[in-house]
Amino acid sequence: MKLLKMAAAGLALLSLPLSAALNGHPVVLVHGFQPANLAERPTGADVSSNGADYWAGFWLSRADARIDWPSQERITGKIATDYVWPKLQQLSRAGTCNSGCIFVSHSTGDLVTRYIIDNQALWLKNAGLQPLNIIASFDFAGAGGGVELADLAVNVAGGGSWTDAALRAALSLWLGQMPSPSNIGVLNDLRVNTARQLASFPTSRVPRLRFAGAGSDFLNATGPFLPGTDDGVVASHSTCGSSAVGSFDSCSANVAFDGKLASQSSGVKGFMPYHYPMLMGNDYSHSGLIEDSRDGEVTAANARATYLNAEALQFQTYQQSRGWWVFASNYLLVTGSDRQSMSSLVSQAAD
């Protein structure tokens, strides 16, 4: 099976155009947490194969490079030294980002990307290399604000209570296994307080553009352990880029996840530096955000954002009235979301 997966990934890479750039800007992918890594502990070619498989649903054929990393390691440890740093050197020497790169991250890739953005210029300058010109990062289901499920998993692995049946079910659905001290890896970095302390005050002004969902792949079994609205794995305080942990139900103060235009008393009002929420999809799950499948309509917390080089990502929107007479409400929807996936909407707008 592994050989077949590697062969498929290889064919996918061979089919890539010489440049898969978005409007002339090369795309660099940074994948998220892969639970199976905790038990399998991949190295070498397996890490690369897993990275290709991760993005195969949509973004693989649209990327110029990937930064692959194994989830059994720590971000500031082997992930940085053995996987991120060699790739940064390669990208610098090849001049891949000279015209301005766009990073595309998913889940924990958001946290890895934040660490990269905050450190890459200094690292490369110290090595006598040209820093990467990163003009924006598109962060799908970003876990940069931490994941409450990771706190629970680490607590259980350390001998905490394991008696709650609902908690057992939630962690088993997410991880596919029981956590133990020997197989938590990057889960340590995903703990809410730990994640928020990693490169929390970036010197780089690279805009982090956020794309969030409110669906679930786990029949909402994980929802009770996540504050506010969540995507089945990550709560909105993290996916939206909130500056504070809280029970939030929207990335906006004015529009709900389903697009209803109304004051959102539980909407995020303050954001981490250079974090800007863009699209929200009420039916998109954590994994569904980077696939090429349409999961309901999409709304916009913000329809326009500016890259570091002053170019802009912009979505066309329209309003639709729903309901009858005095009970009618207005909804803000993104043009094309009735027929395209969120990833497709983002790719098309960026190109």
Side-chain angles (χ1 to χ4, degrees):
M1 179 62 72
K2 179 62 70 175
L3 289 175
L4 289 175
K5 289 172 69 177
M6 291 180 67
L11 288 173
L13 290 172
L14 287 173
S15 67
L16 288 176
L18 291 178
S19 175
L22 293 176
N23 196 29
H25 301 299
V27 173
V28 180
L29 303 178
V30 186
H31 66 73
F33 172 57
Q34 302 187 77
N37 286 183
L38 300 182
E40 297 172 357
R41 307 187 70 81
T43 59
D46 287 337
V47 174
S48 179
S49 176
N50 289 341
D53 290 344
Y54 193 100
W55 294 103
F58 182 85
W59 286 99
L60 182 64
S61 63
R62 293 165 173 81
D64 298 83
R66 298 191 319 272
I67 297 178
D68 303 324
W69 53 274
S71 295
Q72 76 271 15
E73 304 295 352
R74 299 291 301 273
I75 292 177
T76 60
K78 286 191 176 182
I79 292 174
T81 59
D82 294 6
Y83 296 91
V84 169
W85 175 231
K87 192 66 180 185
L88 294 180
Q89 294 177 79
Q90 178 185 337
L91 292 171
S92 177
R93 291 189 174 106
T96 304
C97 294
N98 287 355
S99 63
C101 276
I102 294 173
F103 273 50
V104 175
S105 78
H106 179 249
S107 189
T108 311
D110 169 32
L111 187 58
V112 175
T113 298
R114 190 163 85 220
Y115 191 62
I116 291 171
I117 288 173
D118 203 44
N119 291 287
Q120 63 91 14
L122 178 63
W123 291 346
L124 289 167
K125 283 181 181 177
N126 287 343
L129 296 171
Q130 179 70 29
L132 305 185
N133 179 21
I134 305 171
I135 61 170
S137 177
F138 297 169
D139 304 312
F140 292 86
V147 180
E148 282 75 9
L149 292 175
D151 285 273
L152 293 170
V154 172
N155 179 55
V156 167
S161 174
W162 189 238
T163 59
D164 188 287
L167 175 57
R168 288 201 304 271
L171 290 181
S172 295
L173 284 169
W174 180 42
L175 299 176
Q177 59 187 303
M178 300 296 185
S180 69
S182 64
N183 70 344
I184 51 177
V186 79
L187 290 176
N188 281 302
D189 300 310
L190 281 175
R191 290 177 295 171
V192 174
N193 288 338
T194 304
R196 287 182 171 272
Q197 291 170 8
L198 185 68
S200 56
F201 297 101
T203 55
S204 172
R205 299 175 61 88
V206 174
R208 311 297 307 279
L209 310 186
R210 321 292 288 181
F211 304 93
S216 176
D217 291 324
F218 307 125
L219 300 177
N220 295 317
T222 53
F225 305 98
L226 298 166
T229 296
D230 63 84
D231 62 15
V233 175
V234 186
S236 292
H237 72 80
S238 186
T239 58
C240 297
S242 172
S243 59
V245 179
S247 183
F248 302 111
D249 292 324
S250 176
C251 298
S252 168
N254 304 304
V255 59
F257 257 98
D258 65 357
K260 184 176 180 178
L261 286 166
S263 177
Q264 303 296 305
S265 59
S266 57
V268 177
K269 297 176 178 64
F271 298 90
M272 295 177 67
Y274 316 115
H275 285 54
Y276 308 99
M278 298 295 290
L279 303 189
M280 302 186 295
N282 197 50
D283 298 317
Y284 280 84
S285 68
H286 186 74
S287 61
L289 285 162
I290 58 168
E291 299 299 327
D292 196 20
S293 57
R294 178 187 170 273
D295 295 319
E297 293 171 314
V298 171
T299 189
N302 291 288
R304 188 179 189 277
T306 305
Y307 299 160
L308 195 61
N309 68 347
E311 294 180 27
L313 178 71
Q314 184 163 331
F315 298 93
Q316 298 300 315
T317 62
Y318 65 97
Q319 291 189 27
Q320 183 182 85
S321 179
R322 295 178 179 175
W324 177 71
W325 195 37
V326 296
F327 306 105
S329 298
N330 287 327
Y331 287 75
L332 179 71
L333 303 172
V334 175
T335 302
S337 67
D338 59 334
R339 58 185 182 277
Q340 293 176 263
S341 68
M342 189 183 293
S343 280
S344 177
L345 290 170
V346 174
S347 175
Q348 179 175 292
D351 210 21

